[in-house]
């Protein structure tokens, strides 16, 4: 009998010991809600094998070698950490920072980033590699700064035409761009390409000016059909910034339907950690923004509303789609949350607000 | 007897010729590369070749010889060795233009996705050949 009671006591003790400490439950649940399972960065192991089997290729298609990752092995972790920071920021937005009220025990969740409230001012350094055939005037520069300010502060006049479905989602990001400096260098190069040569003095370009405190814009002839390109937060500091083709910089008649400065708005959106609105994949591939509808590809031209893809209406007028300049006129509130996250404490562009 | 043999030979040649022509006709090439502000596409269907170079569209009806040349060029490409080279991370920040190539040749389908500005040499040569018929 004594043995039986002793065994039962041991069993009861074991069960009680295995119960989670109630003080630790809340923070552990908070950790579990920061879901990173859909985050993707492509690595060398994803390099696809050639195949004549089209179906098999389709599945492998997007898994390819990333030159930047190869050259910069720490980038993958940095991008993961930035995404996790962003998601933690968004998760805690409007919530108490320590909902359990306890001290968190030994397994504390990541701290909620402190948001930066109010207007963010971003000094802009314009680096121009001047090709006489594609002049960049002071008027182009001034108009570009004005367009960025209009677009990031919900002052684009075209926003008046936003469909009712998206009207409540239009964001004012409260970001002000100020012209900090203009650097000019003569260039006869007709194609600078997309390998960042224009960003390096050693390759004939212009070095970035203090990229932890300035947004560097390079204006040059990119060539190859590319209007502009960007770099996400977390990349190499020396190449941090945005590149815009000369004809597409500011209000510029030479740019045609892309001559109204929205290439810069789109690329600065990437610089602020926004993805293309269709997530660069099929319906299931997301842009990591909750209030933008899923889509399976870019929209071009000036699409009529509604444009239906993936069983919902595309937000074709979003700056992160590929439509003509005059047909894009909004960031969403969810995109604004992602932008604000990078300026929060421990965020990759926190230096701009401190 | 001699007439009969000649007739059979004629029928055989005709049959072979029809077969090879049928094979040529079933060859198709579709390529499309697009980004914001740029489009390039090639369509070869039956004997009609159309190329859209940033909205400058040229079209031609090909005769038998160019079709034979195209088939010969395709024959020299080892599609099993052609590697896709597009990076989603480059696409995500507009550094690259995705080009999708679909080829139907010798009753097989091939599909690849390339960085349009960095096409494999064999594919670049094939496109040069096709462009030459329209210049």
């Amino acid at each position: 009998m004594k043995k039986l009671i002793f065994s039962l006591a041991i069993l009861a003790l074991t069960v009680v010991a295995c119960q989670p400490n109630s003080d630790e439950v809340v923070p552990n649940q908070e950790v579990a809600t920061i879901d990173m399972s859909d985050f993707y960065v492509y690595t060398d192991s994803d390099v696809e094998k050639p195949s004549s089997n089209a179906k098999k290729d389709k599945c492998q298609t997007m898994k390819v070698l990333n030159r930047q990752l190869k050259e910069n092995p720490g980038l993958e972790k940095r991008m993961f950490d930035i995404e996790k920071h962003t998601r933690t920021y968004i998760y805690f937005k409007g919530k108490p920072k320590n909902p359990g009220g306890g001290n968190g025990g030994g397994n504390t969740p990541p701290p909620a980033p402190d948001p930066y409230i109010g207007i963010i001012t971003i000094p802009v350094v314009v680096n121009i590699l001047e090709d006489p055939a594609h002049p960049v005037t002071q008027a182009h520069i001034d108009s570009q700064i004005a367009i960025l300010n209009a677009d990031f502060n919900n002052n684009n006049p075209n926003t008046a035409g936003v469909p009712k479905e998206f009207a409540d989602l239009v964001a004012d990001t409260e970001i002000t761009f100020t012209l900090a400096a203009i650097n000019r260098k003569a260039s006869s190069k007709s194609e600078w390409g997309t390998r960042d040569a224009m960003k390096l003095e050693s390759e004939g370009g212009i070095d970035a000016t203090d990229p932890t405190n300035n947004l560097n814009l390079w204006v040059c002839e990119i060539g190859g059909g590319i209007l502009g390109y960007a770099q996400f937060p977390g990349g190499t500091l020396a190449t941090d910034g945005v590149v815009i083709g000369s004809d597409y910089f500011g209000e510029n008649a030479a740019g045609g339907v892309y001559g109204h400065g929205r290439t810069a708005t789109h690329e600065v959106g990437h610089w602020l950690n926004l993805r293309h609105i269709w997530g660069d994949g099929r319906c299931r591939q997301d842009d990591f923004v909750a209030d933008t509808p899923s889509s399976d590809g870019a929209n071009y031209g000036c699409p009529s509303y509604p444009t239906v893809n993936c069983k919902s209406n595309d937000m074709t007028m979003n700056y992160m789609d590929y439509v003509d300049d005059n047909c894009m006129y909004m960031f969403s509130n969810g995109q604004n949350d992602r932008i604000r996250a990078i300026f929060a404490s421990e965020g990759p562009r926190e230096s701009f607000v401190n | 007897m001699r007439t009969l043999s000649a007739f059979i030979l004629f029928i055989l040649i005709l049959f072979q010729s029809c077969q090879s022509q049928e094979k040529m006709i079933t060859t198709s090439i579709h390529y499309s590369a697009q980004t914001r502000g740029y489009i390039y596409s090639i369509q070869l269907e039956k004997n009609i070749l159309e190329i859209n170079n940033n909205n400058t569209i040229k079209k031609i009806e090909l005769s038998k010889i160019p079709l034979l040349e195209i088939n010969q060029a395709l024959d020299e490409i080892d599609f099993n060795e052609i590697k896709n080279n597009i990076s989603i991370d480059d696409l995500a920040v507009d550094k690259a233009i995705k080009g999708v190539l679909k080829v139907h040749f010798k009753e097989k389908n091939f599909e690849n996705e390339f960085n349009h500005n960095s096409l494999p040499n064999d594919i670049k040569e094939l496109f040069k050949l096709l462009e030459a018929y329209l210049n």
Side-chain angles (χ1 to χ4, degrees):
Chain A
M1 186 63 183
K2 262 184 191 170
K3 270 186 185 172
L4 182 66
I5 291 169
F6 182 71
S7 302
L8 282 171
I10 293 286
L11 187 66
L13 198 66
T14 310
V15 169
V16 170
C18 291
Q19 289 293 319
N21 182 337
S22 62
D23 280 350
E24 288 175 359
V25 169
V26 172
N28 283 344
Q29 281 174 341
E30 301 296 355
V31 175
T33 53
I34 310 301
D35 180 12
M36 296 295 293
S37 59
D38 63 335
F39 182 69
Y40 54 88
V41 173
Y42 293 87
T43 59
D44 290 4
S45 59
D46 294 327
V47 177
E48 71 186 289
K49 307 286 184 292
S51 168
S52 61
N53 184 333
K55 258 189 178 174
K56 196 178 167 190
D57 262 2
K58 206 89 180 162
C59 302
Q60 292 284 330
T61 284
M62 302 312 276
K63 299 179 178 178
V64 294
L65 181 66
N66 179 336
R67 178 179 67 88
Q68 239 199 330
L69 281 173
K70 207 176 179 189
E71 290 171 358
N72 191 352
L75 181 62
E76 184 183 357
K77 183 176 177 349
R78 280 206 302 283
M79 287 188 76
F80 181 90
D81 289 345
I82 288 167
E83 189 58 33
K84 190 168 183 183
H85 172 274
T86 297
R87 292 181 189 200
T88 305
Y89 171 90
I90 291 167
Y91 178 80
F92 278 109
K93 194 186 165 213
K95 288 180 184 167
K97 285 179 76 177
N98 191 0
N103 63 9
N107 187 14
T108 52
D114 290 321
Y116 181 82
I117 310 290
I119 293 167
I120 295 166
T121 302
I122 297 183
V124 180
V125 176
V126 182
N127 304 295
I128 304 162
L129 293 148
E130 292 193 277
D131 175 354
H134 302 270
V136 179
T137 65
Q138 188 64 43
H140 292 143
I141 298 168
D142 292 341
S143 64
Q144 184 62 77
I145 298 293
I147 290 159
L148 286 171
N149 281 321
D151 293 352
F152 281 87
N153 290 277
N154 190 20
N155 279 325
N156 181 336
N158 296 328
T159 314
V162 67
K164 202 176 168 189
E165 178 186 3
F166 303 130
D168 290 340
L169 301 177
V170 179
D172 175 354
T173 70
E174 293 189 285
I175 294 177
T176 300
F177 298 88
T178 58
L179 183 61
I182 302 167
N183 301 316
R184 291 180 183 270
K185 190 174 185 178
S187 166
S188 55
K189 210 167 178 173
S190 60
E191 284 209 12
W192 281 88
T194 58
R195 290 191 164 238
D196 295 335
M198 72 289 287
K199 302 176 180 179
L200 303 168
E201 185 87 33
S202 58
E203 294 188 32
I206 301 171
D207 284 342
T209 302
D210 186 15
T212 53
N213 294 299
N214 294 290
L215 160 60
N216 278 268
L217 297 183
W218 284 270
V219 186
C220 62
E221 286 301 289
I222 303 170
I226 305 279
L227 303 188
Y229 74 91
Q231 182 172 304
F232 284 132
T236 308
L237 208 53
T239 54
D240 189 48
V242 157
V243 185
I244 311 290
S246 314
D247 291 347
Y248 315 104
F249 188 70
E251 276 294 343
N252 194 330
V257 294
Y258 305 105
H260 304 292
R262 302 259 140 62
T263 298
T265 303
H266 177 100
E267 301 308 337
V268 172
H270 287 312
W271 183 80
L272 293 168
N273 209 24
L274 298 185
R275 308 229 166 192
H276 288 134
I277 195 160
W278 67 97
D280 292 296
R282 303 278 176 175
C283 295
R284 285 185 184 176
Q285 191 132 339
D286 198 24
D287 61 351
F288 307 146
V289 176
D291 64 6
T292 55
S294 67
S295 189
D296 60 353
N299 290 289
Y300 296 95
C302 205
S304 57
Y305 173 83
T307 296
V308 182
N309 283 300
C310 305
K311 298 178 185 169
S312 58
N313 298 336
D314 279 2
M315 195 185 276
T316 62
M317 63 295 298
N318 194 285
Y319 291 119
M320 300 317 289
D321 209 328
Y322 268 177
V323 296
D324 294 351
D325 278 16
N326 277 337
C327 305
M328 50 168 67
Y329 48 73
M330 71 174 283
F331 288 114
S332 77
N333 292 323
Q335 287 174 319
N336 187 30
D337 286 342
R338 280 185 71 80
I339 291 173
R340 298 302 291 200
I342 62 170
F343 296 100
S345 59
E346 307 294 320
R349 302 218 186 275
E350 186 191 8
S351 55
F352 282 82
V353 294
N354 280 335
Chain B
M1 186 64 190
R2 208 180 266 178
T3 316
L4 184 66
S5 301
F7 181 72
I8 289 169
L9 191 66
F10 173 74
I11 293 292
L12 274 172
I13 288 167
L14 194 69
F15 180 70
Q16 283 292 324
S17 160
C18 288
Q19 259 197 338
S20 72
Q21 197 171 9
E22 182 68 23
K23 272 182 186 171
M24 278 195 301
I25 282 170
T26 58
T27 296
S28 69
I29 299 171
H30 296 272
Y31 177 76
S32 180
Q34 190 172 14
T35 189
R36 193 164 182 268
Y38 180 80
I39 185 165
Y40 179 90
S41 69
I42 294 175
Q43 312 292 334
L44 175 69
E45 193 69 52
K46 293 185 178 169
N47 60 341
I48 304 294
L49 173 66
E50 183 181 301
I51 297 183
N52 177 352
N53 191 353
N54 225 13
N55 294 320
T56 302
I57 300 169
K58 290 180 181 176
K59 200 173 181 177
I60 192 171
E61 192 175 335
L62 296 173
S63 61
K64 199 175 171 184
I65 291 170
L67 286 170
L68 277 168
E69 286 171 346
I70 292 166
N71 274 273
Q72 197 182 336
L74 287 170
D75 217 10
E76 285 168 11
I77 299 173
D78 184 352
F79 281 96
N80 292 321
E81 287 300 314
I82 296 283
K83 289 183 180 176
N84 295 351
N85 66 357
I86 190 68
S87 154
I88 189 173
D89 296 283
D90 283 350
L91 288 174
V93 289
D94 308 315
K95 271 185 153 183
I97 303 170
K98 182 167 79 175
V100 180
L101 176 66
K102 293 175 185 178
V103 174
H104 180 78
F105 178 59
K106 285 189 173 173
E107 292 166 18
K108 280 184 181 171
N109 290 318
F110 302 96
E111 186 172 337
N112 286 91
E113 294 192 356
F114 302 122
N115 178 341
H116 176 68
N117 287 322
S118 185
L119 292 170
N121 281 338
D122 287 348
I123 302 301
K124 213 184 278 181
E125 290 304 313
L126 174 68
F127 288 2
K128 264 187 201 167
L129 174 73
L130 295 171
E131 282 169 356
Y133 296 126
L134 287 158
N135 290 331

